[in-house]
Amino acid sequence: VLAVVENESFADVIIILFVVIVNAVLGVYQESKAEKAIEALQQMAAATSKVLRDGQTVTIRSEDLVVGDVVLLTGEMGAGKSVLTRAAARAMGVEGPVPSPTFTILNIHEGRAMRLYHFDLYRLSDADELYGMGLDEYIPAEDGVSFIEWPQMAQEAMPEDALHVHIAYAEDGAARVATLEAGGTFDEARIDEIKRRLEADDEHPDD
């Protein structure tokens, strides 16, 4: 700034200093906004480690998932399919934001012991589009679990052996009710174990 000031009039110097000050203030402001945005994302990520069930929060455990699992998530827009997937991601040790892959179709996240393949098929017209992109090779995945939102948009590509999770609004319009159903050879005993744990959580919410 001083190098420029030497050859400028007093008025020009005032203008230059004003511009420098404004840019400095804006820079601090933008940095502050960025820090706040990062902080908000971190808080949001931490908040999604639990999901609502009948008005209460229930933690998803990594033991509930094994390599090769396919979880088909259905429910109306905004029911909580992405929130449930984020909770699973946290249980698997995935760090950072877990956005819904609305435009990318698939997001892959690294967990502690396996990967999370997060699909959102809402924008597909049929299974041929999924085949054309070669993404069906991750359904099921050899090194992780696949959570698939809107599986009905590519129904032909969905495996029979899967865990079906339908999420609906409860009568109060705020809480969600999740219905779990085993498809094909998916082990129903695992669903029974999850239900037993959820019932135990209801009886001992502070454990």
Side-chain angles (χ1 to χ4, degrees):
V1 175
L2 293 177
V4 176
V5 168
E6 291 178 358
N7 297 316
E8 300 292 343
S9 66
F10 180 76
D12 290 335
V13 169
I14 296 299
I15 293 174
I16 292 172
L17 289 175
F18 177 76
V19 171
V20 170
I21 292 172
V22 169
N23 286 335
V25 171
L26 287 176
V28 172
Y29 175 68
Q30 293 296 337
E31 183 178 353
S32 175
K33 285 180 62 179
E35 290 176 352
K36 289 181 179 179
I38 292 173
E39 182 181 354
L41 285 172
Q42 291 173 338
Q43 293 175 350
M44 181 178 67
T48 57
S49 62
K50 295 186 176 183
V51 292
L52 285 174
R53 177 180 179 272
D54 299 334
Q56 297 182 355
T57 54
V58 177
T59 303
I60 293 179
R61 304 183 308 177
S62 58
E63 300 95 299
D64 295 333
L65 306 167
V66 299
V67 171
D69 275 352
V70 175
V71 182
L72 305 180
L73 301 167
T74 56
E76 62 182 279
M77 190 78 72
K81 299 181 290 295
S82 294
V83 173
L84 179 61
T85 303
R86 293 188 188 105
R90 298 295 165 239
M92 294 170 59
V94 174
E95 298 180 354
V98 183
S100 182
T102 305
F103 298 99
T104 58
I105 309 299
L106 169 64
N107 287 340
I108 303 175
H109 303 279
E110 295 288 343
R112 284 187 300 269
M114 54 185 168
R115 288 177 171 176
L116 169 65
Y117 292 85
H118 183 192
F119 291 83
D120 185 336
L121 309 184
Y122 181 76
R123 294 183 177 276
L124 297 188
S125 58
D126 53 37
D128 288 338
E129 287 191 55
L130 189 69
Y131 292 136
M133 291 182 284
L135 299 182
D136 57 299
E137 66 175 295
Y138 303 119
I139 310 174
E142 297 180 352
D143 58 353
V145 298
S146 303
F147 275 69
I148 306 175
E149 301 183 39
W150 302 98
Q152 64 270 33
M153 305 306 292
Q155 192 62 52
E156 294 179 6
M158 299 300 103
E160 293 185 8
D161 303 335
L163 172 61
H164 297 259
V165 179
H166 181 74
I167 305 174
Y169 288 95
E171 292 184 359
D172 62 7
R176 308 290 194 274
V177 176
T179 303
L180 282 63
E181 181 181 351
T185 60
F186 191 92
D187 190 357
E188 291 190 18
R190 292 174 58 194
I191 296 179
D192 293 336
E193 176 59 29
I194 293 173
K195 289 180 178 179
R196 280 193 294 270
R197 180 171 59 79
L198 294 178
E199 292 172 355
D201 286 345
D202 289 342
E203 295 175 2
H204 308 284
D206 297 326
D207 290 352

